[in-house]
Amino acid sequence: MLMDYSIALLAVILLFPIFILLLILTSWDTGFPGIFKQERIGRHAKPFTIYKFRTIHPITTRKSFIGKWLRKTKLDELPQLFNILKGDMALVGPRPDVAGYYDQLNGEDRLVLLLKPGLTSEAGIKYRNEEELLSRQENPLQYNDEVLFPDKVRMNVEYYHNLSFKTDIFILLKTLSI
């Protein structure tokens, strides 16, 4: 969508000094390069490479000091603006997940795969503290698989059925206000 591309391009241009600073900090903190790449499932269940600032030490596999701050502020997600420029993602849409989740959906839930993954979504806003929520669970994987993921799918299918420019603007404004 032209709006996604235009906003992402403008954001990259305006935030370029911040990108450089965060890249230097993450490279210093977690090793060069400070960019994390991972395969995620995109539109039509097609895998793509997502970009984030690296927040975990590759050797110790612990979150770095700067990484904790980046995750808390969601600044680790900024490189996904380049995913939007590449056409892999949109500003608003289901947050992309690793293989074994969205690509395994059945029935009406597969409608989620007709959407480009997004930088933000209603489910992403609702579960913005997902990592903290999961850390409080006795069995985080089971909680994710039985509670969080099904609720995210439900919300994303609802988004699909109510897809509109107005809805996207509302979600973007809601994201910026938190």
Side-chain angles (χ1 to χ4, degrees), residues 64-135:
S64 70
F65 173 76
I66 292 170
K68 288 177 187 175
W69 175 75
L70 286 173
R71 283 196 182 181
K72 184 176 181 174
T73 60
K74 302 294 186 196
L75 289 173
D76 64 318
E77 309 278 348
L78 279 179
Q80 290 169 41
L81 291 168
F82 291 98
N83 285 112
I84 294 170
L85 293 176
K86 284 178 58 183
D88 293 330
M89 291 178 65
L91 290 170
V92 179
R95 290 293 299 147
D97 215 327
V98 295
Y101 286 93
Y102 285 120
D103 53 329
Q104 302 298 312
L105 294 174
N106 295 303
E108 185 184 42
D109 291 347
R110 287 194 67 81
L111 292 172
V112 172
L113 294 171
L114 298 177
L115 302 166
K116 273 189 183 180
L119 189 58
T120 188
S121 67
E122 283 285 0
I125 294 168
K126 179 177 180 179
Y127 294 113
R128 67 184 171 277
N129 298 322
E130 178 178 341
E131 199 171 338
E132 181 184 324
L133 178 62
L134 289 171
S135 72

